[in-house]
């Protein structure tokens, strides 16, 4: 059984690669899998990356355009059975102003809702940062859930801690899985596999060294640090950051106010990496536990579980942005395989979500501005 998938805000293709890898076979020998149908993203470089790695034979199926200007209709877009959208997180991130629905990006989820109403896919997956639950004092999250339910779907939102699924990174994301009401199926959150009493977490050292990265790999350019930055990093032990007390006074940063913990923070070899981000100035590039340097984009891609032959297009910072904004493909694969198992009638270990979807149907006085 093949599900044809549409996607909005596709980025470099983290969810799409996970979907491409996901396959299950039921007891009758029927294979359940997903095929790319169409995708949309405003970013030209990300769209190039997506085309090259996901659908090189169908470049016309990726529309590089502002979703607000895209005609969401069956005249413009072909029929689909599945839909995914990692709607922009800028206004929901825990780092920043957290404008939520009142920001420029917050309302963009509504274009995904339009797809659900127009195309009625059998299932969807929506993704955003954990800060979504606190934006607009929690009202944004409730409104988004309510809109998805009222589009005709039984939803299962859950905060996934990806390190607990074998991803070598402490990345926490809200993933909402919805299955169309008339199908009478219920998605269950796949059980975690790594952590206390389970498989050991995958470490940063394991991710970056097994197997070693080819020095000539694409997107593997080293950052040129000044001698002062190198000296500064040499005084920071693994796991510590720019505020480590052992840094000599003459090298310390002169910063007033909030001191972000991830500034010049070095990885710990025996622990998962901290969250890979897509933007930020000096000191936010993730730093090696041993070598006094920032990680390369290829190393960041490893922490995000992209294979080494996955080519990213654009300049160095544009590639960094794509990698940091993506859903880890291996994490997406786990969730999507659980969706396929739900449709195939295959049982799997699961955990309960902390949210009861019915709680979002309570009328809330909140206006989208």
């Amino acid at each position: 059984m093949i599900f044809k998938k549409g996607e909005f805000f596709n980025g470099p293709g983290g969810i799409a690669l996970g979907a491409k890898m996901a396959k299950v076979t039921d007891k009758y020998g029927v294979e359940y899998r997903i095929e790319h149908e169409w995708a949309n993203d405003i970013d030209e470089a990300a769209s190039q990356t997506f085309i090259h790695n996901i659908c090189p034979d169908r470049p016309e199926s990726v529309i590089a355009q502002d979703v607000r200007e895209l005609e969401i209709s069956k005249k413009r877009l072909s029929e689909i059975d599945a839909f995914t959208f990692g709607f922009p997180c800028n206004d929901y991130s825990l780092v920043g102003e957290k404008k939520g629905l009142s920001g420029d990006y917050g309302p963009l989820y509504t274009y995904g809702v339009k797809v659900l109403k127009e195309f009625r896919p059998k299932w969807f997956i929506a993704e955003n940062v954990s800060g979504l639950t606190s934006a607009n004092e929690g009202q944004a999250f409730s409104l988004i859930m309510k809109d998805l339910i009222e589009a005709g779907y039984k939803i299962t939102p859950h905060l996934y801690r990806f390190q607990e699924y074998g991803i070598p990174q402490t990345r926490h994301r809200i993933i909402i899985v919805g299955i169309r009401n008339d199908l009478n199926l219920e998605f269950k959150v796949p059980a975690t596999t790594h952590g206390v009493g389970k498989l050991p977490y995958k470490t940063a050292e394991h991710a970056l060294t097994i197997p070693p990265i080819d020095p000539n790999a694409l997107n593997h350019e080293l950052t040129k640090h000044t001698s002062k930055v190198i000296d500064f990093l040499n005084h920071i032990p693994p796991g510590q950051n720019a505020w480590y007390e052992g840094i000599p006074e003459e090298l310390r940063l002169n910063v007033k106010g909030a001191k972000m913990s991830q500034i010049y923070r070095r990885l710990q070899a025996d622990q998962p990496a901290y969250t890979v981000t897509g933007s930020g100035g000096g000191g936010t590039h993730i730093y090696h536990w041993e070598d006094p340097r920032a990680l390369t984009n290829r190393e960041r891609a490893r922490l995000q579980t992209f294979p080494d032959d996955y080519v990213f297009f654009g300049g160095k910072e544009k590639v960094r942005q794509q990698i940091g904004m993506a859903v880890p493909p291996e994490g997406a694969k786990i969730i999507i395989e659980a969706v396929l198992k739900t449709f195939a009638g295959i049982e799997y270990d699961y955990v309960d979500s902390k949210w009861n979807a019915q709680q979002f149907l309570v009328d809330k006085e909140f206006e989208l501005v």
Side-chain angles (χ1 to χ4, degrees), residues 91-110:
D91 290 325
Y92 302 118
S93 176
L94 294 173
V95 179
E97 297 181 52
K98 288 198 289 186
K99 294 181 179 179
L101 292 173
S102 58
D104 292 334
Y105 301 97
L108 291 180
Y109 84 92
T110 60

Side-chain angles (χ1 to χ4, degrees), residues 44-46 48-50 52-53 219 311-315 318-319 322:
E44 290 277 359
Q48 273 188 286
T49 299
F50 189 99
H52 180 85
N53 296 281
N219 308 122
V311 182
F312 295 88
F313 287 78
K318 177 60 72 173
V319 169
Q322 292 174 52

Side-chain angles (χ1 to χ4, degrees), residues 90-166:
N90 311 55
D91 290 325
Y92 302 118
S93 176
L94 294 173
V95 179
E97 297 181 52
K98 288 198 289 186
K99 294 181 179 179
L101 292 173
S102 58
D104 292 334
Y105 301 97
L108 291 180
Y109 84 92
T110 60
Y111 294 88
V113 175
K114 287 181 181 179
V115 170
L116 297 180
K117 291 180 177 179
E118 174 72 12
F119 291 90
R120 305 288 296 145
K122 292 181 172 71
W123 57 270
F124 75 83
I125 290 178
E127 177 266 348
N128 209 273
V129 292
S130 58
L132 174 64
T133 60
S134 57
N136 303 112
E137 300 179 343
Q139 294 181 94
F141 184 56
S142 293
L143 180 61
I144 292 169
M145 298 304 104
K146 187 170 183 283
D147 284 351
L148 293 171
I149 291 169
E150 290 180 347
Y153 290 82
K154 184 176 182 61
I155 65 168
T156 307
H158 186 68
L159 176 62
Y160 289 80
R161 296 176 173 86
F162 279 116
Q163 72 272 22
E164 296 178 353
Y165 291 89

Side-chain angles (χ1 to χ4, degrees), residues 260-275:
M260 291 176 60
S261 65
Q262 294 194 10
I263 299 296
Y264 287 108
R265 182 177 169 189
R266 301 190 74 172
L267 297 173
Q268 289 179 265
D270 61 350
Q271 299 291 327
Y274 54 92
T275 306

